[in-house]
Amino acid sequence: MARYVIKRDVSSLPERLTRYKSELNEEQFAVVTAQPKATLVVAGAGTGKTRAITYRVAYLLEQGVSPQRILLATFTNRASREMLRRVESLTGSQNVHRVWGGTFHRIANLILRRHASPLGYDANYSILDSEDAKDLINVCIDEAAIDTKAKRFPKAEVIQDIISYANNTDLPLENVIAGKYPYFEMLTSQIKRVDSVYQARKHERNVMDYDDLLLKLKQLLVEKREIAELYAEQFQHILVDEYQDTNRLQAEIIDLLAVKHRNVMVVGDDAQSIFAWRGAEFTNIYEFPKRYPEAQLFKLETNYRSTSEILGLANTSIAANRRQFPKMLKAVKRSRDFMPALVPCSDVEQQSAFVASRILELRDEGTSLEDIAVLYRSHYHSIELQLELSRRNIPYRVQSGVRFFEQAHIKDVVSYLRVLINPRDELAWKRILKLIPGVGNVTANRVFEALSAGEQASLPALRVESTNESAVTALSVIKDAGTRAVRSVPRLASSRPFQDFIKLLETLVSDELRDRPARQITHIFENGYEQYLLENFENAEARSEDIRGLAQFAQRYETTEGLLSELALLATERFKEPQPIVGEEVVEGGEDDELLTLTSVHQAKGLEWKTVFIIWAAEGKFPSPKSLREIDAEEEERRLWYVALTRAKDELYLTYPLLMTDYNRQTVLQKPSRFITECPAELFEVWNLVEEQPAFDAPVLTEPAATEFLN
């Protein structure tokens, strides 16, 4: 058989390469023009990773590679569209849209639409969104004849999360339950039965959920050899962005598609692999050279974001990790002669006061609030700061979700406290009544109607200022009224959950807990609400951590009413007229809608600000003690710390309280995070805070320096 090689038009390549060389640094240019083979690009924070990928695709097209033979896998379809738009601008080609670009799920869907029948599906299969999938799981729970009341069975969204995690990590369901959900281990057989019914139902109805797109694509590539060979031949060049965030299933799919040409270029930063909790597999990037021994390694280390002082701290910090590809970020920006500031504060109130005060100073100096962010390891770390910002009328948005006190689980617990202070609070009563298994809107309405109207002699006479007596009287009323009101629901009034609810209320108004809000919150959490979280939310651990944080915050208040009054600040202090709290809102800004950003570090990945504050940089807070229970978790926490440091462009502040109050109202000395103490002291400038002297001649108090912790 004769072999004929088609020659490419290379007449204009030298001119184009000259242009590329002028628009890229040496590291990026080496990546863009790399030989076609397995390639690992370790791209440090702020080093122009997206630019390198974009120019690589343009370079391949200009080398004569057909666009449909290029696969570009990204983590958002928006990222893919933006990259390909820039490729079109670079090349002038009208065929860029023929590149296979998008998320793993989009690419999987494109292939499965062509080859659904070998898997027993029609090409017009439907894709279930998260809500549809949850509804179908509820149907499957009923069909599997699960007695959800005999032994409280997890809600559909929790089952959905268990199944999804097992799919994406390629682990058996029982292993996932034992490892991540040990409190459901006795229900493993029932959960597996629901999963079996769920998989069968989807197939019968010609529907797939989000995870099925990847699972079925892998199945297609493994079981249907002729189809696998077709796509292995087609995709001559495969590029994967953010490879450190891929899970095991995604990495397996890439390996199956790259099996023939092995021209797979993966781009990512092992030092920014921070999503193991949702299934991302660090070993995908770390062990890439083992799976592809012939792989060439490139590093992007020229950083365009941060000053040399910030990068010096980041480089030193991440160097403590054992499993990594060593790299040294180098700054392009000239030094601003500003060292990362280490700010020990006397307590959490002073920490909040410092952050708010410094933000206002920066704003006066010309830094927009949009260019400032406050980062934290866990959402509850922002409690005191949100209150301080409200007091000072500093507008902010919460990037990491709804504002702390607007979250469902916080509002649930606070509602218990509200009925103790105001037994006529209809919304609070109905909210906590619906937490009782078997109680819905109708029953909750009946109970409250009986509570408010059925005992006319008692309730109208209650006075808010007589809170203790009011709560005791209301408790007596709800015992009787509640029992009568739920007669239409068989056995509910005498059921264990309803009796537990009454017992909980009795304890909350007892002499032992009355007007001790921190202990009341802890008691609510430990006597039913923690179990409620486990059964109803896939992120139950994070929500539990929030409630423990709320209990700790409540330590400073002498009365329950005092705590609730303080929380009302967030509802009444606005920048226009007072408004009630609603979920998902942000504090209104001024005319230009200029807002400070508050965010968890996980949500901050990929973002940057001129000035960054990292609060609660204390041992036991960052790293999270919960995360340190797992193997290799400390290294992931250090990577998370590294991500936080490298969000800052010009100024970086690390703060922590020296003293805090524990659940028993004992004062505890706090140490700075291990991620601070393992770095040389000369990488920081320690700021010793001085309280502003009052009008009268009182002595000025200075706080102890943190230098001793750094040596």
Side-chain angles (χ1 to χ4, degrees), residues 212-229:
D212 285 330
L213 294 173
L214 299 187
L215 285 169
K216 300 303 179 186
L217 174 57
K218 180 188 171 184
Q219 181 185 349
L220 186 74
L221 297 175
V222 170
E223 296 179 1
K224 308 300 176 183
R225 183 175 176 181
E226 66 285 359
I227 296 174
E229 289 176 350

Side-chain angles (χ1 to χ4, degrees), residues 61 139 161 222 244 255 350 397 458 480 507:
L61 293 174
V139 171
D161 195 61
V222 170
Q244 79 281 347
D255 290 348
Q350 191 181 61
R397 69 169 65 85
S458 301
D480 299 330
T507 307

Side-chain angles (χ1 to χ4, degrees), residues 10 13-14 16-21 24 28-36 51-66 70 87 90-91 237 239 265:
V10 295
L13 272 181
R16 287 172 176 166
L17 286 179
T18 301
R19 191 193 76 194
Y20 279 23
K21 211 166 183 61
L24 301 167
Q28 294 166 342
F29 185 79
V31 170
V32 168
T33 58
Q35 289 299 306
R51 189 176 185 83
I53 298 172
T54 302
Y55 274 76
R56 174 65 175 179
V57 175
Y59 175 75
L60 291 175
L61 293 174
E62 290 179 344
Q63 285 282 334
V65 177
S66 179
I70 299 173
V87 169
L90 284 170
T91 62
H237 293 272
L239 298 94
M265 175 180 281

Side-chain angles (χ1 to χ4, degrees), residues 135-148 194 197:
D135 291 342
L136 182 56
I137 289 173
N138 272 322
V139 171
C140 296
I141 290 172
D142 291 339
E143 188 174 319
I146 303 294
D147 186 354
T148 57
V194 171
V197 174

Side-chain angles (χ1 to χ4, degrees), residues 272-396:
Q272 296 186 70
S273 179
I274 60 173
F275 293 112
W277 53 275
R278 70 181 188 196
E281 183 60 67
F282 172 73
T283 56
N284 286 351
I285 189 167
Y286 184 64
E287 296 182 355
F288 184 83
K290 289 184 179 179
R291 299 204 314 280
Y292 294 84
E294 75 277 22
Q296 52 192 340
L297 172 66
F298 294 92
K299 295 181 182 179
L300 300 182
E301 299 175 296
T302 304
N303 178 283
Y304 293 88
R305 176 186 299 156
S306 306
T307 63
S308 58
E309 292 84 358
I310 292 170
L311 293 184
L313 177 59
N315 286 331
T316 304
S317 182
I318 198 62
N321 268 10
R322 186 174 44 83
R323 295 204 306 166
Q324 64 168 311
F325 296 106
K327 58 184 169 299
M328 188 67 64
L329 295 182
K330 304 178 292 287
V332 171
K333 294 176 69 170
R334 64 183 180 84
S335 170
R336 288 172 50 91
D337 196 27
F338 185 94
M339 297 292 292
L342 178 61
V343 190
C345 306
S346 61
D347 52 31
V348 67
E349 283 81 8
Q350 191 181 61
Q351 176 178 252
S352 300
F354 163 72
V355 172
S357 177
R358 184 61 184 143
I359 286 170
L360 289 175
E361 285 180 354
L362 290 165
R363 181 66 186 84
D364 290 342
E365 292 167 7
T367 302
S368 167
L369 292 180
E370 292 288 341
D371 291 325
I372 305 173
V374 181
L375 275 56
Y376 36 80
R377 172 62 181 84
S378 300
H379 200 21
Y380 77 90
H381 292 167
S382 68
I383 301 175
E384 294 85 1
L385 181 60
Q386 289 192 37
L387 287 169
E388 185 68 20
L389 294 173
S390 292
R391 291 190 193 102
R392 298 196 186 214
N393 283 344
I394 300 174
Y396 66 93

